[in-house]
Amino acid sequence: MTICPTSNNDRVLRISFPVLLLLMLLCSGGNLSAQKKPRQTRRELTEQNLDLTRQLDSLQRRLAFVEDSLKYARREVDSLSRGPVRHSFDPFPTLSVRSYDKNRVDSLISLFSTQTHLSYMAVDTADYSAPFQGPDATDEQYIQKLSKMGTIMQIPYNQAVRTYIERYSIQWKGIMPQVIGLCYYYMPIFEESLSKYDLPLELKVLPIIESLLNPTATSRAGARGLWQFILSAARSYDLRVDNFIDERLDPYKASDAAARLLRDNYEVFGDWALAISAYNCGMGGVQRAINRAGGKTDYWSVYPYLPHETRNYVPSFVGMLYALTYRDELGIEAERIPMPLSTDTFDVTGKVHLGQVSSLVGIPLDDLRSLNPQYYRDIIPDDRPSYPLILPHSYSSAFAQCKDSVATHKADQFLTASVLKEPAGQKVSGTSSRKGGGVAYKVKSGDTLSHIAARNHCTVRQLKSWNNLRSDRLRVGQVLYIY
């Protein structure tokens, strides 16, 4: 290859034929190799993105713990205020959370089953006409504090909001430390999904209102998971629900679906208070309330016409946001959480029982269930090339060494025909199991919805809601899910 000048003093690159031929071959080879590389499917790309997201969440939790420790140290050294403080609800609350201690871990399910039941009973039946007598704070002081929370959404205020502020801040002080402790684990997951769709981050408080951060919470209407999806809504947003997997219980996939649902609600109503209300009662419920309000679309004009159980949904949201934002001033500290601050995700191939993983690696079975609640029968199916399994970081090395043998380890003990047909803890009557799972019932000749409902102690309306049925007609062989 030589370079020679031209008559107009410009320099032109002159390439010899052998060099040019070599360059052409290299380029051709590169194109061929690029063509031979198989294109990844949309599902593969989605799974890779989910895995990267989980790794990022794990790093965020570890970083947040360090940052909070530094904040605590600075606060102890310099206790003098340097001016008015503007609060914002960050996803890594409080300073008293300590690192994960395997020897003192309790099951997430047993910790919060009673509290979740309390949330449905106490919140839905509270007497809002008689406000709780809390601190001697004026409405103006509450409004001022709400305005300083640094939220994107416009926060409404009235007597119902004040009632919820005082209930969560004072009356529920026995529950809030547990909730705040769990925020350390779950808030990065919620925040990631909300950021993905460019939604206000304060919406991450909604799962606390819905489930008190119990990923296996089940309502009387059959809604399940952190975000309390009913079956029809779950399937509308591509959440898988079958005999082995209920993705309503998967914190990552349910959070992504909830963010899309909230985005759709806002696109319809253009107001976050109405969008949040629609999350509770559906778009149809909010639209009917707007029609009854004469077409008015501001929240407090629509408020009296909302379903009774929905009217206090937004005030409850604001009250929880307030309690979490001003938790330090209120003297609410987080309890030790039964969740690891650092986790790793592995792809598992083949049909695997969580008991096999527990037996092989030594991790408590309840810990596996808490981190992987979507496998509500403890079984990871084999109908896909692989499924994700989340483990505490302290067990990652041990699992990596025996990952290839986990599917065969004590398979005759954990994957028996009886376990695969009807797992332990599942009740054939159709009532909820100890883990809140549903029962699959195959319709027989002569069955009707009323007969099936009577045998399983539920209502026809519940059966239709759980199975997204629009009519009472059934066909032989049809599978119904009963919760």
Side-chain angles (χ1 to χ4, degrees), residues 441 443 447-456 463 474 480 482:
Y441 176 81
V443 176
D447 277 341
T448 64
L449 283 177
S450 59
H451 290 157
I452 296 173
R455 287 198 300 266
N456 290 279
L463 278 177
L474 298 175
L480 299 179
I482 304 167

Side-chain angles (χ1 to χ4, degrees), residues 71-341:
K71 290 178 183 177
Y72 180 73
R74 295 191 189 103
R75 195 177 302 178
E76 289 295 310
V77 172
D78 185 9
S79 60
L80 296 177
S81 174
R82 298 185 178 180
V85 178
R86 182 178 178 83
H87 293 266
S88 62
F89 175 52
D90 67 62
F92 311 106
T94 190
L95 317 166
S96 60
V97 178
R98 295 178 291 277
S99 60
Y100 176 71
D101 182 355
K102 181 174 86 70
N103 296 324
R104 296 187 61 186
V105 168
D106 294 317
S107 167
L108 179 65
I109 300 170
S110 63
L111 263 177
F112 289 95
S113 59
T114 56
Q115 284 86 344
T116 302
H117 178 71
L118 176 62
S119 74
Y120 289 117
M121 300 302 293
V123 175
D124 290 349
T125 62
D127 180 10
Y128 305 106
S129 61
F132 178 76
Q133 296 301 315
D136 296 328
T138 64
D139 289 338
E140 289 73 19
Q141 288 172 323
Y142 277 133
I143 292 173
Q144 184 180 23
K145 280 184 172 290
L146 289 171
S147 67
K148 292 182 178 180
M149 292 198 305
T151 59
I152 294 178
M153 298 168 49
Q154 184 177 359
I155 301 298
Y157 180 83
N158 74 346
Q159 191 60 58
V161 172
R162 175 175 179 137
T163 297
Y164 268 108
I165 287 176
E166 296 177 349
R167 287 184 187 276
Y168 290 140
S169 300
I170 301 172
Q171 196 175 27
W172 279 40
K173 270 197 173 182
I175 296 175
M176 292 302 296
Q178 299 166 343
V179 171
I180 294 175
L182 283 172
C183 286
Y184 224 103
Y185 180 84
Y186 287 112
M187 284 301 172
I189 301 174
F190 305 153
E191 192 173 50
E192 179 69 26
S193 295
L194 295 170
S195 298
K196 178 180 177 181
Y197 299 101
D198 196 26
L199 304 182
L201 295 184
E202 49 264 33
L203 291 171
K204 59 196 168 189
V205 175
L206 283 178
I208 305 178
I209 306 301
E210 292 285 349
S211 65
L212 276 183
L213 300 186
N214 181 349
T216 61
T218 303
S219 76
R220 296 187 298 269
R224 304 195 69 196
L226 291 163
W227 292 88
Q228 288 292 282
F229 273 97
I230 61 173
L231 190 60
S232 57
R235 290 176 174 167
S236 297
Y237 284 87
D238 306 318
L239 293 178
R240 173 178 171 179
V241 181
D242 57 29
N243 279 334
F244 292 101
I245 293 179
D246 190 340
E247 290 183 340
R248 294 178 295 177
L249 311 183
D250 186 322
Y252 295 91
K253 292 189 176 181
S255 296
D256 185 87
R260 285 182 281 135
L261 175 55
L262 288 165
R263 176 196 61 185
D264 293 347
N265 288 348
Y266 184 74
E267 288 178 355
V268 170
F269 297 110
D271 177 270
W272 278 116
L274 295 179
I276 292 174
S277 299
Y279 189 88
N280 181 257
C281 68
M283 290 186 185
V286 173
Q287 188 58 56
R288 287 190 292 272
I290 291 175
N291 294 339
R292 292 168 184 167
K296 297 179 181 178
T297 56
D298 61 289
Y299 176 73
W300 292 120
S301 295
V302 175
Y303 176 84
Y305 303 98
L306 290 169
H308 177 73
E309 66 275 10
T310 304
R311 292 176 194 170
N312 294 295
Y313 194 69
V314 169
S316 177
F317 166 79
V318 176
M320 181 61 72
L321 187 63
Y322 180 97
L324 292 174
T325 302
Y326 293 102
R327 60 191 181 274
D328 290 340
E329 294 182 18
L330 296 169
I332 304 174
E333 295 186 350
E335 287 190 4
R336 180 186 296 272
I337 58 173
M339 307 294 286
L341 295 177

Side-chain angles (χ1 to χ4, degrees), residues 310-374:
T310 304
R311 292 176 194 170
N312 294 295
Y313 194 69
V314 169
S316 177
F317 166 79
V318 176
M320 181 61 72
L321 187 63
Y322 180 97
L324 292 174
T325 302
Y326 293 102
R327 60 191 181 274
D328 290 340
E329 294 182 18
L330 296 169
I332 304 174
E333 295 186 350
E335 287 190 4
R336 180 186 296 272
I337 58 173
M339 307 294 286
L341 295 177
S342 180
T343 59
D344 289 311
T345 302
F346 292 88
D347 289 327
V348 175
T349 302
K351 188 170 291 182
V352 174
H353 193 286
L354 295 184
Q356 292 175 278
V357 181
S358 175
S359 173
L360 194 61
V361 183
I363 178 175
L365 183 57
D366 278 342
D367 292 5
L368 283 173
R369 289 169 174 166
S370 297
L371 292 172
N372 304 275
Q374 68 271 28

